[in-house]
Amino acid sequence: MQPAQPARLDNEDEVALADRMKAGREAILAEIRKRIVGQQEVVEQVLLSLFVGGNSLLVGVPGLAKTLLIRTVSDVLDLEFSRIQFTPDLMPSDITGTDLIQEDPTTGRRRMVFEKGPIFSNIVLADEINRTPPKTQAALLEAMQEHRVTVQGTTYTLDEPFYVFATQNPIELEGTYPLPEAQLDRFMFEIEIHHLSEEEELQVVRATTGIQTADFQSTVTGADLLAFQRLVRSIPVPDAVLRYAVGLVRGSRPSKSGTAPEFVKKWIAYGASVRAAQYLVLGAKARALTLGRYTPSFDDVRALAHPVLRHRILTNFHAESEGRTSSEMVDELLNHVKAPASGM
């Protein structure tokens, strides 16, 4: 099979928008670097979430600047930001808002007025989302998926663009409520944040123990992000790349017919849903565009396999007893599912 030729966008407006998206990514990265040190892969995945229009879960121990990163992104983009600290006593109305009785000062008549909650922002940070009960966690579901909330039978549409970034501490399990699989599946990426290198940590300590000033230049707007999201969905994807993404997802599922790979039958209880394949393809398209290409490749899919799949693959008792993780299962999948030899 001959190597596929790089795809081109026929529409001049789309070409210009693609160029603006690539330049916008570089401009955003430059501004973020004024405050955030290191974490290159983490920042890249956050930006891909923005360009696709997805929500992401950031997992890491305290002190790794998860909250600071998302606040910095909102500052750089000049978008409305709200942070919700999830606690065991947090109620759904604390997120969505509630109806209040107010008295009209001119007529003296009382009426119900909807008081918007912190969900009515462009970027919402759900801090330590696993510290609140499922009833309150579920208050995010409709907002994350439908970009709207319903209170007392009335539906309110959220302003666009709208993103939810949630944080989670992976080591402190006491007093936490694990996220239901249905809600985990609504996060495009699970973004793992690790400790910095020694030199990067030294740079952070040096910068944060002195006087800090960061004057951000907003070069990408909310309207730009919405245009980038439309562009991502409009560019074509080679059938071979689609099949490869679907093959990775389907390969993660234990098969009743017994045709699943041996490691899947041995260690995986439940595989990824079709939403994983959708996000693999969307993420691959966004990654290609930000790198100056007009069509995604197998490498784009492989680069995003871990953040897309690891929170969607549920290991069984045998895997837990042997210390096997879902990230290792993704490694096994990437080794098992071969990409077509098309040269893409």
Side-chain angles (χ1 to χ4, degrees):
M1 182 179 294
Q2 295 296 320
Q5 296 299 314
R8 288 287 177 187
L9 297 180
D10 297 327
N11 188 309
E12 290 184 4
D13 291 338
E14 288 186 341
V15 172
L17 185 58
D19 292 341
R20 187 147 55 93
M21 181 173 171
K22 180 176 182 294
R25 166 195 174 265
E26 294 169 354
I28 295 171
L29 284 175
E31 294 300 308
I32 289 176
R33 289 299 167 217
K34 294 179 179 179
R35 184 182 286 172
I36 301 296
V37 175
Q39 304 293 5
Q40 181 68 28
E41 189 174 348
V42 171
V43 175
E44 292 281 1
Q45 291 171 13
V46 168
L47 293 188
L48 289 178
S49 297
L50 297 175
F51 295 147
V52 169
N55 311 292
S56 286
L57 179 67
L58 288 80
V59 179
V61 297
L64 297 183
K66 298 185 293 294
T67 301
L68 180 63
L69 171 59
I70 303 305
R71 183 181 292 276
T72 300
V73 169
S74 68
D75 290 342
V76 169
L77 296 172
D78 196 24
L79 294 176
E80 188 173 348
F81 171 82
S82 64
R83 174 182 175 273
I84 308 172
Q85 180 63 52
F86 279 66
T87 58
D89 60 349
L90 193 72
M91 300 296 292
S93 59
D94 295 328
I95 297 174
T96 61
T98 188
D99 288 323
L100 301 176
I101 299 178
Q102 289 188 355
E103 184 175 302
D104 190 319
T106 58
T107 64
R109 298 184 62 180
R110 294 183 177 183
R111 58 192 179 96
M112 298 294 291
V113 177
F114 179 65
E115 183 72 20
K116 291 182 178 180
I119 198 70
F120 287 86
S121 294
N122 298 120
I123 295 180
V124 176
L125 177 65
D127 218 353
E128 294 188 288
I129 190 174
N130 58 330
R131 291 212 165 275
T132 201
K135 181 178 181 180
T136 304
Q137 291 173 0
L140 282 178
L141 286 178
E142 184 182 16
M144 289 171 58
Q145 190 67 23
E146 307 294 338
H147 290 200
R148 63 186 185 186
V149 296
T150 302
V151 179
Q152 299 290 342
T154 302
T155 299
Y156 302 90
T157 301
L158 301 173
D159 292 336
E160 299 288 351
F162 174 77
Y163 308 95
V164 172
F165 290 93
T167 70
Q168 189 169 285
N169 182 349
I171 60 174
E172 193 174 351
L173 300 179
E174 185 176 351
T176 62
Y177 303 83
L179 290 174
E181 286 74 18
Q183 188 161 343
L184 277 174
D185 196 38
R186 283 170 168 78
F187 287 104
M188 177 179 176
F189 292 147
E190 181 187 273
I191 303 174
E192 290 185 347
I193 304 182
H194 303 286
H195 286 288
L196 299 171
S197 67
E198 182 177 355
E199 284 302 314
E200 289 172 336
E201 194 162 342
L202 182 64
Q203 185 178 345
V204 169
V205 174
R206 183 182 293 116
T208 55
T209 54
I211 298 175
Q212 292 181 276
T213 57
D215 184 19
F216 296 121
Q217 302 296 319
S218 181
T219 58
V220 176
T221 65
D224 289 331
L225 289 177
L226 295 176
F228 296 158
Q229 291 172 21
R230 289 191 293 270
L231 176 65
V232 166
R233 291 183 175 272
S234 68
I235 69 169
V237 182
D239 187 70
V241 175
L242 280 174
R243 290 184 179 276
Y244 180 58
V246 172
L248 283 173
V249 172
R250 291 180 63 84
S252 71
R253 301 170 189 159
S255 172
K256 293 182 180 179
S257 62
T259 58
E262 192 60 36
F263 73 91
V264 173
K265 292 187 287 186
K266 183 178 181 181
W267 289 316
I268 296 180
Y270 297 98
S273 72
V274 67
R275 193 177 276 123
Q278 293 169 337
Y279 280 136
L280 273 177
V281 171
L282 287 170
K285 292 204 287 184
R287 185 175 187 269
L289 285 168
T290 57
L291 295 179
R293 292 182 279 108
Y294 299 132
T295 190
S297 67
F298 301 126
D299 286 340
D300 293 317
V301 175
R302 281 191 288 265
L304 301 178
H306 279 87
V308 169
L309 293 174
R310 61 183 160 223
H311 60 298
R312 293 182 164 93
I313 293 178
L314 302 183
T315 54
N316 58 23
F317 171 78
H318 296 292
E320 294 175 9
S321 64
E322 297 180 25
R324 297 283 184 169
T325 65
S326 58
S327 288
E328 291 176 322
M329 298 302 101
V330 178
D331 290 332
E332 295 281 356
L333 274 174
L334 290 172
N335 290 329
H336 178 80
V337 180
K338 304 300 182 183
S342 66
M344 296 197 64

